[in-house]
Amino acid sequence: MSLFFNFGEKIPEFDFRVINEREARASAGIMFLLGILSLFSVFTLRTLIWAEFFSITFILEFIVRMFINPKYAPYMLLGSFFVTNQKPEWVQAKPKKFAWFLGLILGATMTYYIIFDVISLVRLSICFVCLTLLFLESAFGICLGCLMYKQLQIKLNRCPGGVCEVLRDKKPVFKRFMLLGFFIISFVLIYLLLEYVKYADIINVIIVDE
């Protein structure tokens, strides 16, 4: 029974429990995809059925991860199927446990809104927060919950992406942020310009008709 109810796996080369980061990222990618599709159904099909279904599976996923065993969680099982032939990337389980506990809180809050059928900006915001966290983990291997856990601890081992290790040779990133900011501002300005042109044409048509 203790083999079933465990958080993380015991690997001989480590003296702490670990999680396969490849499976975690794969499951995050699957959840992100399904979450985007459920949002798409809300804004195009005008139905909440798929969004509510995804929210329910989301909370069930994290309940199994936290209180039973992550490797038996549905999305983790599905993710493990896609990375079967990949070499496991073992990371310490504690930061993941903290991060997934935050996911459990978000899922529980979402479940409250579903049960009582409350449509609010908070509900939509939680959904976008969850999708953002899933995207960061699946696309870039960035576990924000693990980073938060790092701030609460003195020493950790083998965090996702090596974020817990002290990097002595840090490359300057100011120029990268400046370049990224330039692209974002340019995109926003171009978008606003196109919107102005579109509405300007509509206004001119109305004036001509009158």
Side-chain angles (χ1 to χ4, degrees):
M1 185 65 69
S2 60
L3 295 177
F4 188 80
F5 291 94
N6 267 320
F7 191 93
E9 300 183 47
K10 191 65 176 176
I11 305 299
E13 55 262 39
F14 304 118
D15 58 354
F16 48 83
R17 291 193 173 274
V18 294
I19 296 289
N20 187 353
E21 174 67 4
R22 297 189 187 277
E23 294 180 356
R25 290 184 64 177
S27 65
I30 294 171
M31 287 191 286
F32 174 74
L33 176 62
L34 294 180
I36 288 294
L37 292 177
S38 65
L39 275 184
F40 181 78
S41 68
V42 171
F43 291 106
T44 57
L45 303 178
R46 303 296 179 181
T47 176
L48 292 174
I49 294 178
W50 297 110
E52 292 180 348
F53 174 78
F54 171 72
S55 299
I56 293 173
T57 59
F58 183 91
I59 184 63
L60 289 177
E61 172 77 9
F62 283 97
I63 287 176
V64 175
R65 290 188 187 188
M66 293 298 299
F67 301 109
I68 301 179
N69 196 316
K71 66 180 181 180
Y72 300 126
Y75 287 120
M76 287 288 285
L77 286 172
L78 187 58
S80 66
F81 172 78
F82 289 101
V83 297
T84 301
N85 295 326
Q86 298 182 16
K87 182 180 179 180
E89 181 183 345
W90 301 113
V91 297
Q92 191 171 2
K94 287 183 178 180
K96 284 292 185 182
K97 188 173 186 178
F98 178 79
W100 291 345
F101 176 73
L102 297 180
L104 180 64
I105 294 177
L106 292 174
T109 306
M110 182 66 68
T111 302
Y112 167 82
Y113 285 104
I114 292 175
I115 292 177
F116 294 97
D117 196 23
V118 179
I119 305 298
S120 69
L121 183 61
V122 176
R123 178 177 178 177
L124 185 61
S125 299
I126 293 175
C127 182
F128 279 113
V129 169
C130 292
L131 290 177
T132 301
L133 296 176
L134 291 172
F135 174 76
L136 290 176
E137 181 171 6
S138 61
F140 306 114
I142 299 176
C143 175
L144 291 184
C146 300
L147 293 175
M148 293 175 60
Y149 187 80
K150 166 62 178 175
Q151 300 302 318
L152 302 175
Q153 299 294 315
I154 299 176
K155 181 180 179 181
L156 290 173
N157 301 291
R158 301 188 66 82
C159 286
V163 297
C164 294
E165 286 75 15
V166 178
L167 301 179
R168 297 181 179 179
D169 184 20
K170 294 184 178 179
K171 297 180 179 180
V173 295
F174 179 73
K175 292 184 178 179
R176 297 180 187 177
F177 280 110
M178 288 291 291
L179 184 61
L180 180 60
F182 171 77
F183 284 123
I184 293 176
I185 294 175
S186 300
F187 173 79
V188 172
L189 291 176
I190 293 173
Y191 175 78
L192 292 176
L193 179 62
L194 293 175
E195 288 295 306
Y196 172 78
V197 172
K198 181 176 67 175
Y199 286 110
D201 292 340
I202 295 175
I203 294 174
N204 291 333
V205 169
I206 294 175
I207 294 176
V208 171
D209 290 340
E210 292 179 351

